[in-house]
Amino acid sequence: MVNFEVNGKQVMADIEEGTPLLWVLRDDLGLTGTKFGCGIAQCGACTVHVDGEAKRSCLLPVEEVEGKHVTTIEGLGGDGLHPIQQLWIKHQVPQCGYCQSGMIMATAALFHENQSPSDEEILARMTNICRCGTYPRIRAAIEEARAGAKKVLAA
Ligand code: FES
Ligand code: FES
């Protein structure tokens, strides 16, 4: 039995040890906003926050989140939209959308840690893959977050 919190709700998962967190989120909890892409921790489609840090849930054994707080795209903004989601809409970032929850979760974690990331930090942290090539719009949204939304992001 693994006990943890997902989007503010306590979860008790009676699940085989070693099962990836992504399976529990999607198949047991019905939180299908987090996507399965590569399954080998390379593409970032499965990115969630664990105690505020971006983690790729496709290879993260569920027992490693025992006692921790997991946030998925469904819980990122609480009752509304997170500022990063608002910027994603403003810049019309998604195309097919498959990678985008992971992109948003990775970006939100980056700005929660550092509201003025350098170009190098952005490149080092934003390693998610988008098959549709939305990178220029992702970059535009990140630039606006860095330049103008710092107070909002800190809230
Ligand atoms: S599905 Fe997890 S990184 Fe690709
Ligand atoms: S928007 Fe289609 S994979 Fe990124």
Side-chain angles (χ1 to χ4, degrees):
M1 189 71 74
V2 184
N3 294 284
F4 57 106
E5 197 183 275
V6 179
N7 300 334
K9 291 189 186 138
Q10 205 61 37
V11 170
M12 287 170 62
D14 186 6
I15 213 93
E16 192 180 335
E17 200 165 301
T19 301
L21 174 63
L22 179 62
W23 273 228
V24 179
L25 294 174
R26 288 182 56 86
D27 296 345
D28 297 313
L29 301 177
L31 296 168
T32 54
T34 307
K35 302 302 185 195
F36 176 83
C38 63
I40 53 171
Q42 295 295 305
C43 75
C46 63
T47 303
V48 298
H49 296 175
V50 177
D51 286 349
E53 273 184 51
K55 296 282 183 192
R56 295 184 174 180
S57 61
C58 65
L59 277 191
L60 183 64
V62 67
E63 60 270 21
E64 290 194 16
V65 301
E66 169 72 37
K68 297 188 174 171
H69 302 274
V70 175
T71 305
T72 69
I73 189 72
E74 290 89 347
L76 180 66
D79 291 333
L81 289 176
H82 186 277
I84 293 295
Q85 290 173 302
Q86 294 173 23
L87 286 172
W88 245 240
I89 292 169
K90 178 176 177 186
H91 288 273
Q92 293 287 290
V93 174
Q95 289 191 30
C96 81
Y98 199 83
C99 71
Q100 296 293 331
S101 56
M103 290 286 185
I104 289 168
M105 296 305 282
T107 307
L110 169 65
F111 277 91
H112 284 152
E113 282 170 41
N114 180 3
Q115 291 163 47
S116 300
S118 65
D119 289 346
E120 292 72 25
E121 284 168 312
I122 293 168
L123 284 174
R125 290 286 300 273
M126 293 303 298
T127 56
N128 294 26
I129 293 170
C130 174
R131 204 169 60 168
C132 299
T134 61
Y135 303 110
R137 285 184 273 176
I138 290 169
R139 188 56 194 246
I142 288 175
E143 290 296 347
E144 183 166 343
R146 184 165 66 167
K150 292 173 191 167
K151 288 197 178 82
V152 180
L153 288 163

